[in-house]
Amino acid sequence: MTPGQQSLVEQARARFGERVAVTDAADVEPWLTDWRGRWHGRSAAIIQPSSTEEVATIVALASELHVPLVPQGGNSSMVGGSTPPPDGSALILSLRRMNQVRSIDRGSMRAVAEAGVILQSLHEAALAQGMRFPLTLGARGSATVGGLISTNAGGTQVLRFGPMRALVDGIEAVLPDGTIHHGLTGLKKDNRGYSLDQLLVGAEGTLGIVAAARLKLVPAIHARAVAWLGLASPQKALDTLRALEAGTDRIEGFEILPQESLQAALDHIPGTRAPLDSGHLWHVLVEATADCADAEPPAEQLARLLAPLVERGLVENATISATEAQAEAFWRIRDSLSEAERVAFGPATQHDISVAVENMPLFLAEAAAEVERAFPGTSASGFGHLGDGNIHFHVRAGTRGGPDWLEQEGYAVQRLVDDLVTAAGGSISAEHGIGVMKKEELERLQPDRVRHLRAIKAALDPNAIMNPGKLV
Ligand SMILES: Cc1cc2nc3c(=O)[nH]c(=O)nc-3n(C[C@H](O)[C@H](O)[C@H](O)COP(=O)(O)OP(=O)(O)OC[C@H]3O[C@@H](n4cnc5c(N)ncnc54)[C@H](O)[C@@H]3O)c2cc1C
């Protein structure tokens, strides 16, 4: 421990008790590595405050002592965002003890939740009041409100409700000098200059600590239906989405996957079954919901809207879940694709990218062809949130490489994909953030953007204590 870290730990313990700092190496260890197991850091302690006031005191101490802090929620970051640096220079600031849902208000349809509330718990708390928080993702059992805000998380319901940014209605935060920003006022209109709340969304812990947030809720789902479609191409999938959207505003999920990804799931994920009998080059999972009893049942609505599309040949075949178990089985295929592909195809580079929605079908075809031409023997494809223009684009080593392929060629592939995305006016990080993983690439591709981000960072965090080495 450096003298500054030692002093911070001692002062924090003197004010808030032993429990506020975890210094036993065995207890710190599980929080030093990212979820993918790709980045390993060092940290002498985890500081775990239990209130906003405690966070403010600790951040003020860190600022005074020049001790960098790495904010951490569930540590489910896909880009190494919550892993401390390897030189041991920073302490982890865990928000996991701040895990209270402070209020749920049915009138305003808002929840106020502390940063450490786990997404699954928020879902349950909202449901108990007949409402739901309309954002979900695979890591819902560990991702926290603070982490979701700080990464501007997406997931599978962005199509209808937007990403985290659209669901945040105010933030209580501790800024890098230890002052508290009180943003839970519930003001519908507030034009006092820059929105500090929105600045903190997607800031990846580099501008301050999210302590609590006021979040938008929607009515609980009364009924839902999930359809599985077989189609010839991503363009036909997008045309299908537009046709469905012309008939309803209740499409929540629209996920695309190629046949080989489906096959990987069928071959390697126990209990999965092909939703359709016939083979198709591409597949789409569509979810529609109803939030009240007098709305047209979603299964009937999907059947009514899909029938003419099948007749026209836009959709080759379709089936609609008859039971909740079947709906879950369709989602299970979608949710297991990353794991299935890892087993089926071995090493692959993974790119969380976005382009304008209408350009995604062409981009997918052209980028795959370009990558396969540049790296003969690889195969490239993607699955994911077509309706958001966000695809998880994977380049598989194929005949080209063994287990060390990623080390040998991964970066060259990454650069090519990032160049293609940038040339298409897209983003090299659609929903996972920049973290450490994409920091160099962002700077290589968009130095001006990084310069502006750094100017904001320097203004708010002149001592550079907030999440060093991430994003900028
Ligand atoms: C299986 C799986 C599936 C996933 N699916 C999706 C998906 O569909 N869509 C998607 O967008 N993401 C997805 N993710 C990524 C991840 O779940 C999200 O990035 C999530 O928002 C991270 O939340 P967390 O609490 O784990 O944050 P952490 O990983 O702990 O931290 C993430 C970032 O936020 C910062 N941070 C955390 N808490 C705070 C705070 N209170 N104040 C300030 N900064 C803070 C950290 O410093 C770090 O930069 C997935 C991850 C996994 C493992």
Side-chain angles (χ1 to χ4, degrees):
M1 226 186 265
T2 64
Q5 291 175 352
Q6 183 84 40
S7 174
L8 191 151
V9 167
E10 281 167 10
Q11 292 191 60
R13 278 184 168 156
R15 291 188 204 190
F16 308 124
E18 275 291 296
R19 203 179 158 197
V20 78
V22 177
T23 48
D24 189 326
D27 295 331
V28 176
E29 174 66 31
W31 303 99
L32 298 177
T33 301
D34 75 298
W35 180 80
R36 289 188 208 251
R38 224 170 130 179
W39 291 278
H40 306 280
R42 274 179 50 224
S43 184
I46 298 175
I47 311 296
Q48 42 175 23
S50 66
S51 69
T52 304
E53 290 68 30
E54 288 188 16
V55 176
T57 304
I58 287 158
V59 172
L61 279 172
S63 173
E64 185 191 314
L65 297 163
H66 292 257
V67 173
L69 299 171
V70 177
Q72 200 180 76
N75 197 26
S76 67
S77 166
M78 288 283 206
V79 291
S82 46
T83 308
D87 61 5
S89 58
L91 297 180
I92 294 173
L93 182 73
S94 170
L95 280 297
R96 285 184 292 276
R97 275 178 76 209
M98 291 180 58
N99 58 6
Q100 298 302 307
V101 176
R102 290 188 193 160
S103 65
I104 292 195
D105 180 37
R106 291 172 66 97
S108 61
M109 304 206 68
R110 297 289 187 269
V112 174
E114 292 183 343
V117 170
I118 289 173
L119 180 57
Q120 177 93 44
S121 310
L122 179 61
H123 286 164
E124 287 162 9
L127 196 58
Q129 302 286 332
M131 287 174 283
R132 69 176 163 136
F133 179 62
L135 183 144
T136 193
L137 39 78
R140 59 188 160 275
S142 43
T144 61
V145 165
L148 294 162
I149 290 173
S150 302
T151 58
N152 186 24
T156 48
Q157 294 167 338
V158 172
L159 187 62
R160 184 162 175 212
F161 299 105
M164 200 62 191
R165 188 180 294 288
L167 300 171
V168 169
D169 188 34
I171 290 178
E172 180 175 283
V174 175
L175 298 176
D177 63 356
T179 53
I180 298 178
H181 164 68
H182 297 279
L184 304 182
T185 49
L187 294 178
K188 202 171 168 79
K189 301 179 83 173
D190 177 16
N191 270 355
R192 289 173 288 177
Y194 311 130
S195 165
L196 289 174
D197 306 65
Q198 286 295 331
L199 206 51
L200 288 162
V201 181
E204 302 190 28
T206 62
L207 298 181
I209 308 292
V210 174
R214 191 175 143 90
L215 300 167
K216 297 178 188 170
L217 304 176
V218 299
I221 293 177
H222 173 73
R224 72 161 176 168
V226 181
W228 192 278
L229 320 180
L231 315 102
S233 68
Q235 185 59 56
K236 295 217 163 170
L238 187 55
D239 293 345
T240 298
L241 173 62
R242 295 306 184 222
L244 291 173
E245 284 177 334
T248 177
D249 60 0
R250 293 200 268 126
I251 303 296
E252 293 205 359
F254 195 89
E255 300 286 309
I256 191 169
L257 56 146
Q259 170 61 27
E260 70 259 27
S261 298
L262 171 63
Q263 197 57 51
L266 299 178
D267 290 346
H268 297 286
I269 305 296
T272 50
R273 282 187 49 212
L276 296 169
D277 292 335
S278 43
H280 304 276
L281 287 177
W282 289 85
H283 301 260
V284 161
L285 178 156
V286 190
E287 175 164 302
T289 62
D291 53 27
C292 61
D294 41 358
E296 181 181 10
E300 286 173 26
Q301 188 181 50
L302 276 180
R304 179 172 61 76
L305 294 173
L306 284 169
L309 308 185
V310 175
E311 224 162 82
R312 258 166 62 193
L314 194 56
V315 175
E316 292 173 346
N317 200 357
T319 181
I320 299 171
S321 59
T323 61
E324 188 54 26
Q326 208 177 9
E328 277 301 313
F330 291 173
W331 269 114
R332 178 141 186 270
I333 294 174
R334 164 64 186 92
D335 287 340
S336 61
L337 291 180
S338 292
E339 187 192 337
E341 287 210 357
R342 200 160 40 230
V343 185
F345 305 125
T349 59
Q350 301 177 346
H351 314 268
D352 162 41
I353 56 162
S354 67
V355 297
V357 179
E358 308 304 323
N359 298 342
M360 184 50 94
L362 187 62
F363 175 82
L364 259 178
E366 289 186 350
E370 184 76 29
V371 170
E372 289 169 7
R373 205 167 29 242
F375 298 92
T378 60
S379 72
S381 192
F383 61 81
H385 323 297
L386 180 67
D388 308 333
N390 171 202
I391 290 292
H392 301 300
F393 188 74
H394 292 179
V395 181
R396 306 159 196 139
T399 58
R400 208 172 163 83
D404 60 349
W405 177 74
L406 275 178
E407 283 92 77
Q408 306 266 320
E409 244 173 32
Y411 186 51
V413 173
Q414 166 102 47
R415 282 176 73 106
L416 175 57
V417 174
D418 290 347
D419 286 345
L420 292 169
V421 171
T422 306
S427 167
I428 63 166
S429 180
E431 59 176 6
H432 292 160
I434 297 296
V436 278
M437 182 178 165
K438 298 185 178 178
K439 190 170 163 255
E440 277 176 26
E441 277 296 85
L442 184 65
E443 182 145 28
R444 178 177 75 83
L445 293 162
Q446 293 188 301
D448 286 342
R449 188 186 186 99
V450 171
R451 191 165 50 81
H452 294 133
L453 295 185
R454 281 204 181 119
I456 297 171
K457 163 89 173 159
L460 284 179
D461 183 19
N463 294 336
I465 58 159
M466 298 305 312
N467 212 3
K470 315 291 164 35
L471 180 56
V472 289

